[in-house]
């Protein structure tokens, strides 16, 4: 095949598939290829059959995504990690992987992220799954639910949104296992900097990597860390569910991961300073932050996070405020941005009643303690004094 090809053929193939390089890029490249070639088709067959590692088709795995997965597995000290297109895709897959199906039950923390709550309250019951929401910090209530439902799995968040309740992961793991259930821990707010849920007995650690793992507000991603066996099962499911992470997103998430501990150290220090300052302001009725001595799970958080800090997330109640006053306050902020996400380098505010918990009825919100004056603050990595100065001028206005 040496004769000169037509420009149509040249345009398709020119420059591609050069000789195998004898160098290694320091940073994992973004493999934007859906298909992969092997010198011998029997190798392709062996990869398809799972007899050797390799890549055949991007929905079945790809090199950049695998690099991100291996990085997360290392940080979580897990046998495997499986990446998804978003945190919600990861949660959907992990519930199926944990054996949730028609006739089975899930026991879940009542204050899980709003979309997780809606997934459990709306989609799964329509498929014949029973879902029981509990106050995950009330272990008697959890024990009753386990005895009555005999669930396939228990789902909680290490630090919940927006009131920052802390779940006793080792105790919950013991309780779930004794009842024959697995424990899924959404560790988005904690990140492996504060806690490694598998080390504490959980079976799955789930992240919206859109948040702290990515860290820069430029990528949507989800990831599940678990044992190698559970990881193999999740990969098989992912081939069919198809909510895969793209290579570009995996690269961004992996780039974010490199500075996770540095960012988390600053997030934690800043949040502690901001929480203490807010607690002393007359316009603030209450501050919800696990680093405050008065927080109901402060001692538990100190034990679980072992002095590394208490995270970058806090919330506070503006005294006597409703939506109009909260909006006026949020719009008066100049540095702190009213954007609907968290865990970024930027400081961000959010009004839970109209965003993360909008899918809940007003009654369900009230039952969770999410009042009309509640503001959530994701404290960024700017200088703490600049964040405080901005909050001060906005509260004064
Ligand atoms: C604790 C938690 N879990 C899961 C999710 C869902 O993640 P994603 O938006 O990446 O789908 C979020 C999103 O805010 C979250 O805060």
């Amino acid at each position: 095949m040496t004769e000169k090809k037509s420009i149509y053929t040249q345009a398709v193939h020119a420059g591609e598939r050069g000789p195998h390089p004898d160098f290694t890029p320091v940073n994992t490249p973004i493999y934007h290829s859906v298909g992969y070639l092997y010198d011998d088709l029997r190798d392709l067959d062996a990869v398809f059959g799972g007899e050797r590692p390799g890549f055949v088709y991007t929905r079945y795995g790809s090199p950049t995504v695998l690099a991100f997965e291996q990085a997360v597995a290392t940080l979580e000290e897990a046998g495997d990690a499986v990446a998804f297109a978003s945190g919600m895709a990861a949660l959907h897959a992990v519930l199926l992987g944990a054996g949730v199906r028609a006739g089975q039950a899930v026991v879940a923390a009542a204050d899980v992220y709003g979309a997780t709550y809606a997934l459990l309250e709306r989609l799964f019951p329509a498929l014949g799954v029973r879902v029981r929401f509990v106050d995950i910090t009330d272990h008697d209530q959890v024990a009753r639910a386990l005895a009555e439902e005999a669930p396939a799995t228990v789902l909680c968040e290490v630090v919940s949104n927006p009131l920052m309740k802390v779940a006793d992961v080792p105790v919950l793991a013991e309780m779930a296992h004794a009842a024959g259930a697995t424990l899924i821990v959404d560790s988005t707010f904690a990140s492996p900097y504060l806690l490694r849920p598998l080390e504490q007995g959980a079976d799955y650690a789930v992240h919206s990597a859109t948040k702290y793992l990515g860290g820069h507000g430029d990528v949507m991603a989800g990831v599940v860390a678990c044992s190698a066996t559970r990881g193999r099962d999740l990969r098989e499911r992912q081939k069919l569910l198809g909510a895969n992470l793209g290579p570009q997103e995996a690269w961004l998430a992996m780039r974010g991961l490199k500075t996770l501990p540095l960012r988390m150290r600053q997030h934690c220090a800043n949040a502690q300073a901001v929480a203490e300052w807010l607690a002393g302001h007359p316009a603030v009725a209450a501050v919800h932050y696990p680093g405050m001595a008065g927080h109901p799970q402060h001692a538990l958080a100190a034990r679980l996070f072992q002095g590394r800090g208490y995270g970058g997330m806090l919330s506070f109640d503006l005294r006597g405020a409703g939506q109009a006053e909260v909006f006026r306050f949020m719009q008066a902020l100049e540095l702190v941005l009213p954007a609907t996400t968290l865990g970024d380098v930027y400081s961000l505010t959010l009004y839970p009643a109209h965003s993360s918990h909008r899918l809940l009825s007003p009654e369900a919100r009230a039952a969770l303690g999410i009042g009309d004056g509640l503001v959530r603050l994701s404290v960024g990595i700017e200088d703490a004094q600049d964040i405080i100065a901005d909050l001060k001028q906005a509260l004064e206005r």
Side-chain angles (χ1 to χ4, degrees):
M1 289 243 300
T2 49
E3 78 264 27
K4 190 169 179 295
K5 302 287 186 299
S6 120
I7 190 165
Y8 290 95
T9 308
Q10 285 176 328
V12 173
H13 291 280
E16 298 283 15
R17 300 175 300 278
H20 291 307
D22 62 353
F23 54 82
T24 306
V26 172
N27 195 301
T28 304
I30 303 171
Y31 286 87
H32 263 307
S33 184
V34 169
Y36 300 87
L37 294 173
Y38 290 82
D39 293 342
D40 187 324
L41 269 179
R42 283 171 297 187
D43 280 318
L44 179 62
D45 186 57
V47 177
F48 258 124
E51 292 139 32
R52 53 151 287 185
F55 303 97
V56 292
Y57 185 62
T58 284
R59 180 158 43 77
Y60 288 37
S62 78
T64 319
V65 175
L66 183 65
F68 169 62
E69 291 171 333
Q70 289 182 339
V72 172
T74 302
L75 295 192
E76 287 286 7
E77 296 193 357
D80 199 2
V82 186
F84 292 86
S86 68
M88 287 314 300
L91 280 159
H92 176 214
V94 80
L95 285 162
L96 297 182
V100 176
R101 50 186 55 60
Q104 295 275 3
V106 180
V107 169
D111 54 357
V112 284
Y113 168 61
T116 310
Y117 186 93
L119 174 73
L120 289 169
E121 193 205 26
R122 297 182 193 175
L123 285 196
F124 276 94
L127 301 172
V129 175
R130 299 191 312 283
V131 179
R132 173 102 160 245
F133 291 105
V134 294
D135 176 350
I136 209 75
T137 63
D138 179 345
H139 293 169
D140 290 339
Q141 212 184 107
V142 175
R144 263 198 313 280
L146 288 172
E148 287 166 17
E149 301 289 352
T153 195
V154 177
L155 171 67
C156 71
E157 295 173 358
V158 178
V159 182
S160 76
N161 181 22
L163 295 175
M164 314 304 152
K165 289 187 182 175
V166 180
D168 196 336
V169 176
V171 167
L172 291 167
E174 257 186 58
M175 292 176 75
H177 294 159
T182 52
L183 178 66
I184 301 170
V185 173
D186 182 331
S187 198
T188 299
F189 280 27
S191 90
Y193 176 80
L194 287 183
L195 188 82
R196 292 179 169 121
L198 302 190
E199 214 173 65
Q200 304 292 330
D203 301 287
Y204 298 95
V206 186
H207 293 275
S208 166
T210 314
K211 310 299 180 329
Y212 287 105
L213 300 191
H216 295 73
D218 52 12
V219 60
M220 290 223 77
V223 64
V224 180
C226 53
S227 69
T229 309
R230 293 189 195 283
R232 253 192 312 280
D233 173 74
L234 278 179
R235 288 179 193 285
E236 287 306 311
R237 289 173 195 279
Q238 187 175 53
K239 289 179 189 172
L240 307 180
L241 293 170
N244 299 64
L245 188 62
Q248 181 94 28
E249 286 73 18
W251 189 89
L252 282 168
M254 187 155 164
R255 183 187 179 126
L257 215 52
K258 294 177 194 304
T259 55
L260 175 74
L262 297 175
R263 286 184 285 108
M264 286 306 291
R265 195 168 66 196
Q266 179 88 347
H267 283 300
C268 292
N270 281 358
Q272 186 73 42
V274 169
E276 285 170 11
W277 181 83
L278 282 169
H281 197 285
V284 175
V287 178
H288 311 279
Y289 183 62
M292 302 293 281
H295 183 280
Q297 290 92 37
H298 175 63
L300 168 66
R303 182 155 41 83
L304 288 181
F305 305 155
Q306 295 182 351
R308 287 182 287 269
Y310 296 89
M313 298 299 302
L314 61 87
S315 60
F316 55 98
D317 289 290
L318 282 183
R319 199 179 294 284
Q323 177 169 314
E325 291 78 19
V326 170
F327 278 14
R328 222 171 45 236
F329 162 71
M330 284 168 64
Q331 288 192 319
L333 290 163
E334 290 165 1
L335 175 71
V336 180
L337 307 168
T340 309
T341 184
L342 64 97
D344 287 0
V345 288
Y346 317 97
S347 287
L348 304 166
T349 48
L350 173 138
Y351 186 53
H354 91 135
S355 53
S356 62
H357 289 68
R358 193 186 186 106
L359 294 175
L360 273 65
S361 66
E363 298 75 38
R365 275 200 299 272
L368 293 173
I370 301 168
D372 289 344
L374 188 75
V375 185
R376 189 188 77 186
L377 179 58
S378 171
V379 183
I381 62 167
E382 305 96 335
D383 191 298
Q385 291 315 312
D386 289 332
I387 302 168
I388 288 170
D390 193 32
L391 293 168
K392 184 169 184 289
Q393 66 78 22
L395 284 173
E396 278 165 9
R397 278 210 264 163

